[in-house]
Amino acid sequence: MAAAFSELDEVLWNPISTAAVARAHPRFDELVLDACCGDGAAALPTAELVGPGGVVDAVDLSEPLVAIASERAGERMRQLRLHVADVTTWEPTGYDLVQCVLGVSSFDDLEAGTRHLIERARPGGRVAITVWARGALDPLPEVLAAALPDGGAMLDADAPVLSAGLESIDTAGSLAQWLTRLGLVGVRAHAVQRHLDLTAELAWTLVLGTRLRLLLGELDAAEVASVRERYLAVLEVRAVTSVDVTTLIGIGRRAAAAPVE
């Protein structure tokens, strides 16, 4: 999984993270939490921006992905601190900026997990959440499900793939309203529109390197090979030559603490 994930860096994760970091605007000497950091696509440029006087705590559950991030960083950014941990139980607080690029969909409880992230920011600190926009990666999930051995008939309708409950926040307006309800103030949300031109190789890497891989479940190698063949055949028949990878970036501030009377 980690290898396929990192294969998407240049075409997917790096451009998405660059846009997210540009809008979150990490500043020199800031303390930043990069939640669900993956292989460092957002954490590394953030560490560059905060400089040697800042700190970036980059947290992810995947040890292989954190290892890739560490290899990419090398010894040049001592301000980048990498952690293999569950960010939904991460205790440190007081961050100037908390950012999470496409990670909240992995939370068992979307709202509780995101609220926990917001609480890691200091009062007045910034929180930046990036999610997929409505229709992102369509029709790949549908085509992949149909290519499964049972045509997807045995899939749990509630099983998380890409959205994991994000259907209600897949527009800029609904994302901003949701983050406001969770306690952020001055929220702004932006859509960053992008498309990827597909090749057969990229179409399959998008399965293995994203949450689409969850649909493959416990299939053995031969079954996965058959799924790949059927999946790519349907994409060719339907002349699917590009895929929407538009993201939404919501940014606000944690409400300042009320004065003690």
Side-chain angles (χ1 to χ4, degrees), residues 187-211:
V187 178
R188 307 180 314 281
H190 315 269
V192 180
Q193 297 184 339
R194 288 188 67 243
H195 283 78
L196 282 182
D197 293 330
L198 287 180
T199 62
E201 181 180 2
L202 179 56
W204 185 243
T205 304
L206 285 168
V207 171
L208 299 181
T210 70
R211 290 179 64 79

Side-chain angles (χ1 to χ4, degrees), residues 141-157 215 230:
E142 167 211 338
V143 173
L144 179 62
L148 295 175
D150 58 3
M154 298 302 292
L155 285 177
D156 181 348
L215 290 177
R230 290 192 294 270

Side-chain angles (χ1 to χ4, degrees), residues 231-251:
Y231 165 79
L232 294 178
V234 172
L235 291 180
E236 184 175 4
V237 167
R238 293 175 56 168
V240 179
T241 58
S242 68
V243 65
D244 187 337
V245 289
T246 297
T247 54
L248 306 172
I249 305 169
I251 303 172

Side-chain angles (χ1 to χ4, degrees), residues 19-99:
V21 170
R23 285 160 176 79
H25 193 46
R27 302 181 181 116
F28 203 65
D29 289 351
E30 283 195 320
L31 177 61
V32 179
L33 173 62
D34 188 271
C36 307
C37 67
D39 65 359
L44 270 68
T46 298
E48 295 276 10
L49 290 167
V50 303
V55 171
V56 177
D57 281 321
V59 182
D60 200 281
L61 271 172
S62 170
E63 185 172 356
L65 287 177
V66 171
I68 293 173
S70 179
E71 182 178 349
R72 292 175 66 184
E75 297 296 324
R76 62 191 175 92
M77 286 187 291
R78 297 189 181 276
Q79 67 270 33
L80 177 62
R81 304 189 303 202
L82 294 159
H83 310 269
V84 178
D86 181 354
V87 79
T88 65
T89 60
W90 185 254
E91 289 302 323
T93 60
Y95 291 97
D96 299 299
L97 168 64
V98 175
Q99 61 186 19

